Amino acid sequence: MTATGARNAPDVVDVVALGESMVTFLPSRPGRLADVPSFDRGIGGAESNVACVLAAAGHTARWVGRVGADGFGDHLVEAIGGYGVDVSHVRRDPRRPTGIYFRTAGDRSTDAHEVAYYRAGSAASAMSPAGVDLDALRAGRVLHLSGITAALSSDCLDLLRELTAPRPGRPLISFDVNHRPGLWRDTRGPEVLLDLARGADLVFVGEDEAEEAWGITGGPARIRQALPEPQTLVVKQGARGAVAFSESRGQMCRWGDGGPPARAKSRVGEGGRDGTPQAPGRATNPRPAPAPATFEPALHVDVVATTGAGDAFAAGFLSATLRDLPVRDRLRHGHLTAAAVLTAPGDLAAPPARAHADRLAALDDTAWGTLRLGPGWTRADEHEGPEKEARTP
């Protein structure tokens, strides 16, 4: 099991999330950006999304970021704080703007999907080890990071390296790879992301993402071979489901341990005996026995929009981790929280009530496999039976 930091240390919150949040403009109707007449304003940011969902689920959460001293920055701080997230450590930049982006209503995996980012030179790109409150970042049982931040600037990358470096007393480090090729200014992105993932305790990565970034094919087990260091590795397989590799190491990742042990460096593309690409620093001799793998199928969902679903999955998995639930239930809570976003139009959606989610996560395999969720399902009366939501697809 992945153990989290101390529960009762002074000023400790459940989760701290670091990253850029932007104002997002959602189209009033489907169509090309060139044809959409108006947009509705919202908020979006991988890490702040996780913080908002966790706060809505009843956890204490803090978002640390940097926004412009402008109206969009005001909106972000107020909106994220409105979810119950602590925003007292967000810095305001008088010289750089808050990032914004526009997107179309379609599934972003299709050719018709468009996103227009206006984030170059944003306030968030100026985050650095000297420009944030490191004590506030480390004052959580979990510190959640993503590869997006590393791509914003060299200062941001330095900050992530500082936070993922082994050190006494660090919280559990959660890292969502979030490979975004368009954000990187050079070809080092895949290597940097592998290096950062190696320093984390809990890593989220998509199977297709691992293939695109690192050229790893052959399924989740091959990804685990290339990334053996994290105590827990979650490989997302889209509509099929997700696999978690999780080991029990006693006090390995508890408060004060300092993270995974350092390993000798190697280059991306160097293969092991089976040809699997090696992560930077991967040991020449991997673990003698692989961590147990747990697979949980995804739910059947009537999808409205996919943006933000990966962040919601991470939030659901982290929520269950904070509650010390079994690995199977962590995956199921990830799927349920993702389903809340998949059945709503924006980047964020209220998660199901805890009792409601617990009841669904406890379904037997047959009932879980026939459960289908559509828009509004999170508002279902938790005292109504599973048959209220479930039907055979």
Side-chain angles (χ1 to χ4, degrees):
M1 295 288 183
T2 303
T4 55
R7 300 170 186 266
N8 301 315
D11 302 320
V12 169
V13 296
D14 288 334
V15 176
V16 178
L18 166 80
E20 179 174 33
S21 191
M22 295 180 288
V23 173
T24 177
F25 290 91
L26 308 174
S28 57
R29 65 172 176 80
R32 302 184 308 153
L33 286 179
D35 300 328
V36 175
S38 60
F39 297 81
D40 295 320
R41 185 182 62 178
I43 61 173
E47 303 86 0
S48 60
N49 286 349
V50 170
C52 289
V53 173
L54 284 167
H59 298 281
T60 53
R62 171 181 297 153
W63 172 57
V64 177
R66 190 178 184 93
V67 299
D70 50 34
F72 289 144
D74 293 341
H75 176 64
L76 281 175
V77 173
E78 293 169 6
I80 294 170
Y83 280 86
V85 176
D86 173 18
V87 293
S88 62
H89 296 277
V90 176
R91 299 283 176 90
R92 306 302 294 267
D93 191 321
R95 295 183 300 276
R96 298 176 181 87
T98 303
I100 64 173
Y101 73 97
F102 296 77
R103 68 174 175 86
T104 53
D107 186 335
R108 70 179 180 184
S109 66
T110 68
D111 293 338
H113 185 68
E114 297 175 73
V115 181
Y117 288 105
Y118 299 90
R119 71 195 307 178
S122 69
S125 68
M127 291 188 295
S128 67
V132 299
D133 186 337
L134 293 175
D135 289 336
L137 278 169
R138 291 171 172 143
R141 293 171 60 196
V142 174
L143 172 58
H144 182 69
L145 310 169
S146 95
I148 295 173
T149 304
L152 296 179
S153 68
S154 58
D155 284 342
C156 286
L157 176 55
D158 288 344
L159 176 58
L160 259 64
R161 283 177 168 153
E162 166 71 21
L163 294 171
T164 56
R167 59 174 284 128
R170 82 173 198 180
L172 181 144
I173 302 297
S174 167
F175 182 71
D176 193 336
V177 171
N178 262 325
H179 176 49
R180 304 289 174 83
L183 287 178
W184 290 92
R185 298 165 302 285
D186 53 41
T187 60
R188 295 183 308 130
E191 182 171 350
V192 169
L193 293 174
L194 271 170
D195 194 38
L196 292 171
R198 288 192 62 256
D201 304 302
L202 166 59
V203 172
F204 300 94
V205 65
E207 185 175 20
D208 55 348
E209 186 176 38
E211 180 177 0
E212 179 185 26
W214 305 321
I216 300 174
T217 59
R222 296 294 291 273
I223 299 172
R224 183 54 161 173
Q225 286 179 324
L227 190 55
E229 293 82 8
Q231 182 182 358
T232 299
L233 172 68
V234 179
V235 179
K236 298 174 289 183
Q237 297 180 289
R240 184 184 173 200
V243 177
F245 299 88
S246 189
E247 294 185 355
S248 176
R249 300 184 194 166
Q251 299 297 313
M252 169 67 186
C253 291
R254 290 193 183 277
W255 186 271
D257 184 78
R263 295 176 184 261
K265 291 288 184 180
S266 64
R267 296 185 300 274
V268 170
E270 289 183 341
R273 293 180 182 178
D274 60 357
T276 302
Q278 286 186 269
R282 180 185 174 193
T284 302
N285 298 312
R287 291 189 178 96
T294 302
F295 171 76
E296 273 301 309
L299 293 160
H300 301 285
V301 177
D302 297 329
V303 176
V304 173
T306 60
T307 304
D311 306 329
F313 180 93
F317 191 95
L318 286 172
S319 175
T321 298
L322 287 161
R323 296 170 59 201
D324 293 325
L325 298 184
V327 173
R328 186 207 74 159
D329 290 5
R330 298 180 192 192
L331 289 167
R332 287 193 171 188
H333 277 274
H335 288 317
L336 287 163
T337 311
V341 171
L342 288 167
T343 53
D347 293 16
L348 278 168
R354 180 172 293 183
H356 188 186
D358 284 346
R359 178 171 59 79
L360 295 179
L363 293 173
D364 62 38
D365 289 347
T366 300
W368 178 265
T370 59
L371 187 63
R372 188 176 193 111
L373 302 174
W377 73 270
T378 58
R379 298 189 296 274
D381 185 348
E382 66 177 359
H383 300 294
E384 295 176 340
E387 65 278 0
K388 187 70 177 179
E389 294 129 339
R391 65 181 185 273
T392 303

